[in-house]
Amino acid sequence: VLGRMLGQDYLRNITVRLADNTPGDVAATAIVNLLTARHGVQDIFTFSTDTIRKTIEQTTAALTGLIAMIAAMALIVGGIGVMNIMLVSVTERTTEIGVRTAVGARRSDIMSQFMIEAALLCLIGGGLGVGLALGIATLINHVAGENLKVVISPLSIVVAFAFSSLIGVVFGFMPARNAARLDPVEALARE
């Protein structure tokens, strides 16, 4: 066919498909050795998709690391925001804390109140974030059709809620501790 239709007496390329358990570099070396022995000279070069696969894997790993760093920064910034909101809440409710302490509330009661508020604040934010992610995924699936399918696993939703509540507990601890340590006399005198 090459000779009659294209006037060509040589092959431009040969595609070789390997068995799954065959290492690509070993097969490439064997192919080069075989064709060099038959031609008497090495007049070929090989190209393996393993290099493309390895490059894609390295790029994916780099992107995953980059996304993880961005997510970590976002969690820290969000946590600082929660801490600031809770510190303002403690400052604005100093009189309430003083009254509660004066009528018998223990430090643990006040601390647990503010810890619960911080955790709930973050859980609501986590719920909004998960809702937004599900909405965007639905929109992408609707617009892209069969070309691109975004799938969000239930495990990632659970992890998102776990991290949001953990951020609330970690960054809400200091404001809650400050609220619990307020002296009732000083807290009532601030008004």
Side-chain angles (χ1 to χ4, degrees):
V1 171
L2 285 174
R4 287 189 180 187
M5 297 181 81
L6 300 176
Q8 193 176 326
D9 61 348
Y10 60 90
L11 292 174
R12 290 185 61 97
N13 59 27
I14 299 173
T15 302
V16 178
R17 183 173 180 188
L18 303 177
D20 289 339
N21 59 355
T22 305
D25 54 347
V26 172
T29 304
I31 291 169
V32 168
N33 290 341
L34 174 70
L35 292 176
T36 302
R38 288 195 178 173
H39 295 180
V41 63
Q42 184 174 346
D43 57 353
I44 62 163
F45 72 94
T46 59
F47 175 75
S48 173
T49 56
D50 280 347
T51 56
I52 294 173
R53 184 183 52 82
K54 288 177 185 174
T55 303
I56 290 172
E57 286 175 355
Q58 289 172 347
T59 305
T60 303
L63 286 175
T64 302
L66 180 65
I67 290 171
M69 286 175 38
I70 291 170
M73 284 189 267
L75 286 173
I76 290 170
V77 168
I80 290 170
V82 167
M83 185 168 47
N84 286 336
I85 290 170
M86 293 308 297
L87 284 170
V88 168
S89 176
V90 168
T91 303
E92 289 180 354
R93 295 162 61 192
T94 302
T95 306
E96 174 194 332
I97 296 166
V99 170
R100 288 190 66 209
T101 307
V103 295
R106 296 177 306 228
R107 285 185 174 189
S108 62
D109 296 332
I110 294 170
M111 187 160 177
S112 62
Q113 173 190 348
F114 283 97
M115 291 292 287
I116 290 169
E117 286 179 19
L120 281 175
L121 180 69
C122 286
L123 279 174
I124 291 169
L128 291 172
V130 167
L132 181 65
L134 290 172
I136 290 172
T138 303
L139 180 67
I140 290 172
N141 288 340
H142 180 71
V143 170
E146 295 299 319
N147 297 333
L148 179 66
K149 194 83 168 162
V150 177
V151 178
I152 298 177
S153 70
L155 177 64
S156 64
I157 293 173
V158 170
V159 169
F161 277 116
F163 266 103
S164 65
S165 60
L166 179 68
I167 291 294
V169 169
V170 169
F171 285 93
F173 177 77
M174 189 181 86
R177 188 186 65 188
N178 290 349
R181 288 184 175 177
L182 282 175
D183 182 29
V185 175
E186 289 180 21
L188 291 170
R190 283 190 193 175
E191 186 88 16

